[in-house]
Amino acid sequence: MDKNGFYRSIPKVDILLEDERIQAASRLYDRDTVMDAIREQTEAVRELIRQCDDEERIRREIDQLIPSVVRRVEKMHTPDMRPVINGTGTILHTNLGRAPISREHMARLAEVACGYSNLEYDLEAGKRGERYSHFEKLLCKLTGAEAAMAVNNNASAVMLILSSMAKGGEVVVSRGELVEIGGKFRIPDVMEQSGAKLVEVGTTNKTHYTDYADAVTEETKAFLKVHTSNYRIVGFTESVAIDELIPLGKEYDLPIIEDLGSGVLIDLSKYGLTYEPTVQDSIRKGADVVCFSGDKLLGGPQAGIIVGKKKYIDQMKKNQLTRALRIDKFTATALELVLQEYLSEENAVSKIPVLRMITRTAEDVEKSARRFKRMLDRKELKASVTLQKCESQIGGGSLPLERIESWAVCIRPETMSVPELETAMRHLEVPIIPRTVNDTILMDVRTIDEDRMKLAADELKQIL
Ligand SMILES: *Cc1c(COP(=O)(O)O)cnc(C)c1O
């Protein structure tokens, strides 16, 4: 094979620059980006000639050089972060951005963020204010706590709390509550970063009141409870509830810290889910400091919310670490908006997307699924489209055993394999992420917004 001939047949840069399509791209985008794309693409073709013995393929790549350059330039100017359609039925999907924000809140957020705002400006006093002021009162009202603040996420909240309350000292925690939260991040390792020493007590399945008491030394600064969010130990188990730890804290004059993980503000058992201890419960029972995520069951922006006794929250606000972990104007705005919805529970469950998805009845999801199926039927796809009962999950390390009855639209393609269809769906302009079960593509309708169904149907028509 005449490799040198192929090398010579790659058009020179000045020839490429005269091409109409390249010139159009140079006018639309900047010339440097186009030059970079030409260099990268010709290098890719050279590499192919070096590596590959398929003459047909090499010829094709050389023929396609100009369109490939234009595609490269366009790709550089297309944002990679994009919306996707979540057909997995996992409501708090960490890989898919956890809690969606409502359009109404987003519109307000755009208004605030597009210009200047009173993020740290006290409009009453006409001087410097505090970025937590916009939602601190709300958090106190909703949870019964004396004071509140928020940082970047719950992992940083845990770190800040321990750094402020226990740096250089010991914190007693049950061995059964040392969780890995995913992505290889482990709560105990995050905690150690705070400079506090963890003293693990009890065994994996059992921790008794006396284990905590026996671990107290001169160095002990606090007791810590961690919600075992993403797993459950069942069977021969015992743990010490927060209300039992309170008297122990009083006896030794030590604060009780609780990492609730998800942190719910409403009683989910009213909606047919397992009861999850609420933040209000922890505060009422006497926890000194409680922290939880903003974008798990709360349904808001990524944040780590800290509520509790004023003297501890004040210490945290003064901690230098707070500056490194502080929330920005997007989070402050979104947090206030989502917390305001909780002033009425009815509002919260109807307006916060996460709660709306969780509390949707199976009948309601079934109706949507039927609508979605009709849309797909009208497209006459080269596939069989059926409805099937399925189960949604909460996800995000919340209520790991919970399964919510739901409905899915199933697709069995006729002209390609299931893995091929799954790949094609991932490469759509608005990618669709389905669940694949037993050689079927399954789209759980609980997590698909009504206004996305038409788009999904149009997109599926493109590939089927
Ligand atoms: C999820 C979780 C965290 C981490 O929260 P992020 O907001 O994701 O940082 C910490 N502790 C517990 C118990 C959790 O469930």
Side-chain angles (χ1 to χ4, degrees):
M1 163 175 161
D2 179 15
K3 293 223 174 197
N4 282 331
F6 279 128
Y7 285 128
R8 277 196 302 276
S9 70
I10 301 175
K12 297 277 169 298
V13 174
D14 40 346
I15 304 286
L16 288 171
L17 283 173
E18 276 166 19
D19 186 273
E20 213 172 278
R21 290 161 291 177
I22 299 276
Q23 293 207 342
S26 304
R27 276 194 298 278
L28 210 52
Y29 309 104
D30 66 283
R31 208 184 128 90
D32 281 350
T33 314
V34 175
M35 282 302 291
D36 285 346
I38 290 175
R39 263 192 295 274
E40 283 161 18
Q41 193 58 33
T42 38
E43 189 41 50
V45 174
R46 279 177 201 287
E47 186 59 29
L48 185 76
I49 299 170
R50 259 194 297 279
Q51 304 276 340
C52 176
D53 289 320
D54 179 349
E55 300 200 2
E56 244 336 279
R57 184 154 165 232
I58 295 173
R59 224 168 264 127
R60 217 171 33 240
E61 284 297 318
I62 294 174
D63 284 348
Q64 287 297 307
L65 184 64
I66 290 169
S68 303
V69 168
V70 174
R71 263 201 306 279
R72 251 178 210 268
V73 176
E74 280 168 354
K75 194 159 183 235
M76 287 282 265
H77 288 267
T78 313
D80 188 61
M81 267 291 276
R82 67 193 69 181
V84 306
I85 295 171
N86 177 10
T88 66
T90 299
I91 295 162
L92 292 169
H93 202 304
T94 300
N95 302 152
L96 303 184
R98 283 203 190 150
I101 307 275
S102 77
R103 280 186 197 282
E104 206 181 316
H105 289 180
M106 219 44 231
R108 175 75 191 168
L109 221 150
E111 223 175 291
V112 173
C114 284
Y116 299 102
S117 64
N118 61 336
L119 177 64
E120 271 190 4
Y121 187 74
D122 183 339
L123 290 168
E124 289 299 318
K127 58 181 173 70
R128 190 196 169 102
E130 200 181 62
R131 61 182 63 210
Y132 315 112
S133 66
H134 312 290
F135 53 81
E136 182 168 9
K137 268 209 195 71
L138 267 170
L139 271 170
C140 292
K141 180 173 164 51
L142 294 168
T143 64
E146 289 174 7
M149 67 180 292
V151 286
N152 188 45
N153 60 8
N154 193 32
S156 52
V158 172
M159 203 166 125
L160 176 64
I161 291 169
L162 295 182
S163 159
S164 307
M165 296 171 68
K167 191 169 180 174
E170 295 176 353
V171 176
V172 183
V173 60
S174 161
R175 191 160 275 136
E177 298 174 1
L178 296 170
V179 290
E180 175 168 315
I181 46 179
K184 301 229 170 65
F185 286 101
R186 294 180 167 159
I187 283 293
D189 296 342
V190 174
M191 289 170 178
E192 299 268 343
Q193 298 289 324
S194 69
K197 184 164 177 282
L198 290 193
V199 176
E200 300 168 22
V201 298
T203 58
T204 306
N205 57 333
K206 283 205 170 197
T207 304
H208 306 280
Y209 180 85
T210 49
D211 292 326
Y212 284 92
D214 292 346
V216 175
T217 70
E218 289 280 288
E219 303 301 318
T220 309
K221 300 276 202 239
F223 293 112
L224 171 70
K225 280 274 312 163
V226 183
H227 191 298
T228 59
S229 313
N230 51 6
Y231 72 103
R232 290 285 178 273
I233 298 179
V234 292
F236 186 61
T237 65
E238 189 168 324
S239 64
V240 180
I242 184 86
D243 24 350
E244 291 174 79
L245 270 185
I246 303 295
L248 199 64
K250 290 230 162 65
E251 192 182 328
Y252 291 96
D253 196 23
L254 290 169
I256 311 286
I257 302 164
E258 187 167 33
D259 171 9
L260 272 179
S262 224
V264 279
L265 294 178
I266 60 172
D267 174 4
L268 288 174
S269 67
K270 280 197 242 167
Y271 305 93
L273 279 88
T274 314
Y275 179 76
E276 262 290 283
T278 62
V279 182
Q280 302 86 295
D281 280 348
S282 296
I283 294 293
R284 187 166 19 90
K285 286 175 177 169
D288 295 278
V289 169
V290 178
C291 65
F292 53 99
S293 275
D295 58 352
K296 289 187 181 171
L297 284 170
L298 192 82
Q302 178 186 306
I305 298 167
I306 309 172
V307 298
K309 302 258 163 73
K310 187 167 184 312
K311 68 169 179 178
Y312 297 119
I313 302 287
D314 283 346
Q315 279 172 23
M316 291 175 218
K317 286 180 178 170
K318 286 193 212 112
N319 190 323
Q320 289 294 316
L321 197 53
T322 297
R323 179 60 192 243
L325 305 175
R326 79 177 184 183
I327 53 166
D328 65 358
K329 56 189 168 191
F330 299 98
T331 307
T333 310
L335 212 45
E336 181 187 16
L337 291 170
V338 82
L339 290 168
Q340 264 171 351
E341 303 290 9
Y342 279 98
L343 290 172
S344 132
E345 180 171 326
E346 207 181 315
N347 248 334
V349 293
S350 66
K351 292 207 172 146
I352 299 171
V354 166
L355 293 185
R356 196 171 57 224
M357 285 187 268
I358 292 176
T359 57
R360 273 180 87 180
T361 61
E363 291 75 42
D364 186 44
V365 180
E366 186 186 358
K367 266 189 219 146
S368 293
R370 288 195 187 286
R371 249 193 311 278
F372 190 21
K373 181 179 180 305
R374 277 198 299 275
M375 286 180 200
L376 293 169
D377 286 344
R378 278 197 293 274
K379 299 280 178 196
E380 297 178 349
L381 306 179
K382 292 191 186 66
S384 90
V385 179
T386 53
L387 290 181
Q388 190 181 303
K389 266 193 182 167
C390 68
E391 287 179 328
S392 313
Q393 300 186 34
I394 309 280
S398 309
L399 299 168
L401 304 182
E402 199 79 36
R403 292 291 178 274
I404 315 174
E405 195 188 317
S406 188
W407 282 85
V409 168
C410 310
I411 301 189
R412 281 186 201 82
E414 285 159 9
T415 51
M416 59 177 92
S417 70
V418 164
E420 278 166 348
L421 175 57
E422 190 268 336
T423 307
M425 287 167 78
R426 256 190 293 120
H427 286 89
L428 288 163
E429 191 173 326
V430 178
I432 306 174
I433 316 296
R435 218 185 312 164
T436 325
V437 182
N438 300 333
D439 219 32
T440 308
I441 292 280
L442 215 132
M443 288 178 287
D444 187 332
V445 176
R446 182 178 294 277
T447 47
I448 303 178
D449 223 28
E450 286 273 332
D451 65 8
R452 293 265 120 174
M453 285 182 190
K454 191 182 167 308
L455 172 67
D458 289 342
E459 287 196 316
L460 285 166
K461 179 66 190 170
Q462 289 168 26
I463 42 183
L464 289 166

